[in-house]
Structure formats: C-alpha cells, structure tokens
C-alpha cells in the first residue's frame, strides 16, 4: 500500500548503508518526473530524486511494464539518459519474462538490489484498485516471473505500492498485492522455500 513516494526515503536509508543500489522497478510509469502540481516530492518523482542524490547505481536499474499516459513526448528519455534499462509493456505482451529476468540477474550481479513494485504495472483487468490505472499491462503470471526471477540476487529490500482498495470492490487488487508481497519475501536472501 501507500504511494510510490515511500520508496524515496527507503532508498535514502539503504544507500546510507550499502551505497548506491540496483533497482528492479515494475510500474506503468517511470516515476522520474521533475515536479507535479508544483511539488518536487510526489509519487511521480521519486526516482528522479534518487538519481539526484546518487542513491541508485544507474547502470543497474531496470524498469519493466512501462506504458500509458505521459506529459512528455518521450516519457522514457530521462530514464534512458541515466542509463536505466526501460522495458515497455509492449515488449512483454504475450510472452514469458523468464528470459528477460535472466538478463536482469546478469545486469544486477552480486551487489545490493531493491525491488519496487507498483501494482499499476499490472493490467487493471487484474488490479483495478489503484489511482493511476493504465490499460495493456502485465499479467499476474508475468509478475510472478519477475519476482521469482529475482531469486539469488542480493536483495536488500522491497516494496509493493499504490494499492487503493476503495477503487476495487471485489478485493482482487489487495489479494494480488498481498500474494506478490509474499512472493517477494520468498526470494529474499537466506529464505528457504520448498
């Protein structure tokens, strides 16, 4: 739960301990805006603030599922300029993400990594309970492939954000979010699973 702003202070604390960290970021949006409604700290700006404060190892940042509306003609430009790997949603449609996650594991290496999962990375058919839904997103099976594909990485933290139960009377979004968080706990270093 909570909006994506929460990732910013978490990464400040982790970078103070580990230095700049890698990031596996699942989202419909890059969240690298400069300002929104006149504010520098907003759920659409956390990763720009993280870059400015050198909290991220930009060569080890991957953003998966990016799509949807934007205020910029090239909404991925800032991310690419920083050295992020941007994987638009259309590159994920109708296929397994296991090969992608093999590449991500190689990119991340053995240094510290944070996982930040915005529920709007998933298609609103599966997760309508979010404030900024965007059509043509990832499936729950692909979400599992991404999270399970992080097993073996030096994960130092993770989050799942932007669940807004009041927008989903079925409760499916909260259920999906809870299950994805459980999956993240299962891939933390040292966790034994069957």
């Amino acid at each position: 739960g909570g909006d994506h702003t929460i990732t910013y202070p978490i990464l400040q604390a982790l970078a103070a301990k580990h230095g700049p960290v890698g990031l596996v970021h699942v989202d419909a949006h890059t969240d690298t805006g400069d300002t929104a409604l006149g504010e520098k700290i907003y759920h659409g700006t956390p990763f720009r603030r993280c870059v400015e404060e050198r909290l991220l190892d930009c060569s080890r940042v991957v953003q998966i599922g990016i799509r949807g509306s934007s205020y910029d003609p090239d909404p991925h430009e800032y991310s690419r300029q920083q050295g992020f790997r941007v994987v638009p949603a259309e590159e994920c449609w109708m296929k397994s993400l296991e090969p992608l996650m093999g590449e991500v594991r190689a990119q991340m290496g053995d240094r510290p990594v944070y996982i930040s999962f915005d529920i709007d990375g998933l298609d609103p058919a599966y997760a309508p309970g979010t404030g900024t839904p965007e059509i043509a997103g990832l499936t729950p099976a692909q979400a599992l492939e991404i999270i399970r594909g992080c097993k073996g990485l030096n994960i130092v933290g993770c989050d799942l954000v932007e669940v807004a139960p009041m927008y989903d009377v079925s409760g499916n979004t909260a259920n999906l979010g809870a299950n994805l968080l459980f999956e993240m706990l299962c891939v933390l270093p040292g966790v034994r699973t069957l």
Side-chain angles (χ1 to χ4, degrees):
D3 81 29
H4 223 153
T5 309
I6 194 64
T7 307
Y8 173 42
I10 293 170
L11 288 174
Q12 286 176 317
L14 288 172
K17 179 174 182 177
H18 300 284
V21 299
L23 176 68
V24 176
H25 173 209
V26 181
D27 205 319
H29 314 93
T30 62
D31 291 351
T32 56
D34 187 25
T35 62
L37 305 174
E39 298 295 328
K40 303 274 281 178
I41 298 176
Y42 182 77
H43 70 92
T45 66
F47 298 113
R48 184 176 291 236
R49 302 291 84 84
C50 290
V51 168
E52 291 168 351
E53 293 184 26
R54 294 179 170 77
L55 308 178
L56 297 173
D57 175 353
C58 294
S59 68
R60 296 188 313 117
V61 173
V62 61
Q63 297 181 305
I64 304 170
I66 307 301
R67 65 192 188 283
S69 57
S70 173
Y71 299 108
D72 298 311
D74 183 356
H76 313 146
E77 181 181 16
Y78 179 85
S79 293
R80 286 194 310 268
Q81 286 175 343
Q82 307 317 306
F84 297 2
R85 179 177 181 182
V86 178
V87 182
E90 57 265 26
E91 291 181 19
C92 303
W93 291 344
M94 295 174 280
K95 64 181 171 186
S96 170
L97 300 186
E98 285 186 14
L100 169 66
M101 293 313 296
E103 295 171 11
V104 169
R105 281 192 305 278
Q107 179 182 357
M108 297 299 155
D110 60 0
R111 297 195 314 269
V113 176
Y114 188 81
I115 303 170
S116 188
F117 201 116
D118 187 323
I119 200 71
D120 75 20
L122 297 175
D123 192 274
Y126 307 106
T130 189
T132 51
E134 302 283 359
I135 65 163
L138 304 175
T139 68
Q142 289 174 317
L144 291 178
E145 288 179 319
I146 292 167
I147 295 168
R148 292 175 181 179
C150 290
K151 188 165 183 68
L153 293 177
N154 182 10
I155 301 166
V156 294
C158 53
D159 64 44
L160 186 131
V161 298
E162 300 286 346
V163 173
M166 64 277 210
Y167 296 136
D168 181 4
V169 296
S170 72
N172 287 343
T173 307
N175 182 46
L176 181 54
N179 278 274
L180 294 177
L181 277 170
F182 174 78
E183 292 284 335
M184 286 186 221
L185 292 173
C186 290
V187 299
L188 292 175
V191 173
R192 290 180 40 209
T193 57
L194 298 176

